[in-house]
Amino acid sequence: MSKLNIVLFGPPGAGKGTQSEFLIRKYGLIHLSTGDLLRAEIKAESPLGLQAKEQMDAGQLVPDEVVIGMIRNKMEANLEAKGFIFDGFPRTRAQAIALDEMLAEKSEPITVMLALEVPEAELVKRLLNRGATSGRSDDQDETVIRNRIREYEQKTAPLKEYYSAQGKFKALDGVGSVEEITTRLMEAVG
Ligand code: ADP
């Protein structure tokens, strides 16, 4: 049976992490979140984590080779998976190309890119709220939040065209209740 490989896409605060939880349960997928993997490295005080922390605290992307290496390791550790949900990756064209190459080696291409669309004012509101409860330092400072949104617009949003060209791009309204958005995602997976 072919695998279900989903890229869950959208700006910071779009709800990718929240919706991933449901999708992994429903379809039995492995969740690969580069943000979570990086925060685990920071917590472990590894050299990689120490290096990434500075960029993350400033709201900038960490270097492509760092996140590509992390994703490669996790995919290789989960060869029997029914599929993957990529959350927060790819975020640049170089990452998207690397991902396609990794998947091509195993003949298991991306099935679909699901893009959650949320207006900027709503994103900032959600992230500041999350910062107040989660303790994530990059969610507590509005300047850092706006930097992340700019990084998204400049480097990440163009990937919509990359996946459109492959006939895999699906946009969804990311405003509404968690359940409403879950339903939209399920319908989009088909
Ligand atoms: P959010 O989507 O809310 O910004 P994430 O947890 O996905 O949260 O990412 C937090 C930070 O981790 C980003 O601002 C960035 O510095 C870094 N990061 C995560 N994924 C990537 C990636 N694929 N490429 C580069 N940097 C990344």
Side-chain angles (χ1 to χ4, degrees):
M1 206 182 74
S2 68
K3 301 204 178 187
L4 179 61
N5 288 320
I6 298 176
V7 172
L8 193 54
F9 193 79
K16 302 183 294 289
T18 307
Q19 295 295 336
S20 291
E21 280 173 38
F22 164 81
L23 291 169
I24 55 176
R25 264 186 283 122
K26 162 101 182 154
Y27 299 107
L29 307 177
I30 302 276
H31 185 206
L32 296 182
S33 157
T34 38
D36 287 352
L37 294 171
L38 288 166
R39 280 184 289 277
E41 296 284 343
I42 291 175
K43 199 156 171 233
E45 297 182 2
S46 71
L48 190 158
L50 294 176
Q51 218 195 335
K53 189 176 180 340
E54 244 175 80
Q55 280 132 353
M56 290 173 75
D57 284 346
Q60 293 162 354
L61 296 184
V62 307
D64 286 332
E65 45 302 353
V66 171
V67 287
I68 291 167
M70 288 194 321
I71 289 283
R72 180 183 289 280
N73 288 341
K74 285 286 166 184
M75 283 172 56
E76 278 168 5
N78 290 284
L79 292 174
E80 301 307 311
K82 287 189 195 160
F84 296 103
I85 177 148
F86 297 94
D87 163 4
F89 179 92
R91 262 174 151 100
T92 63
R93 191 177 163 80
Q95 292 177 23
I97 292 169
L99 179 59
D100 275 350
E101 283 170 2
M102 287 188 263
L103 292 168
E105 284 167 22
K106 302 180 175 61
S107 314
E108 290 157 7
I110 291 295
T111 313
V112 66
M113 177 216 236
L114 303 172
L116 293 171
E117 301 197 318
V118 178
E120 177 159 346
E122 170 74 12
L123 296 172
V124 174
K125 197 174 86 188
R126 287 185 189 178
L127 290 168
L128 286 171
N129 260 333
R130 185 167 79 185
T133 53
S134 74
R136 255 182 73 170
S137 53
D138 62 344
D139 285 343
Q140 292 176 18
D141 180 327
E142 190 164 336
T143 310
V144 173
I145 290 175
R146 294 210 187 259
N147 270 348
R148 281 152 61 201
I149 297 174
R150 292 290 88 74
E151 286 276 83
Y152 169 81
E153 283 168 354
Q154 286 168 17
K155 298 177 184 162
T156 309
L159 293 182
K160 293 180 196 172
E161 276 133 53
Y162 181 90
Y163 286 95
S164 265
Q166 298 186 4
K168 292 176 180 171
F169 170 69
K170 285 193 190 174
L172 292 102
D173 181 3
V175 181
S177 69
V178 171
E179 296 74 23
E180 278 164 354
I181 296 159
T182 299
T183 306
R184 288 175 204 152
L185 285 167
M186 250 166 41
E187 284 168 0
V189 173

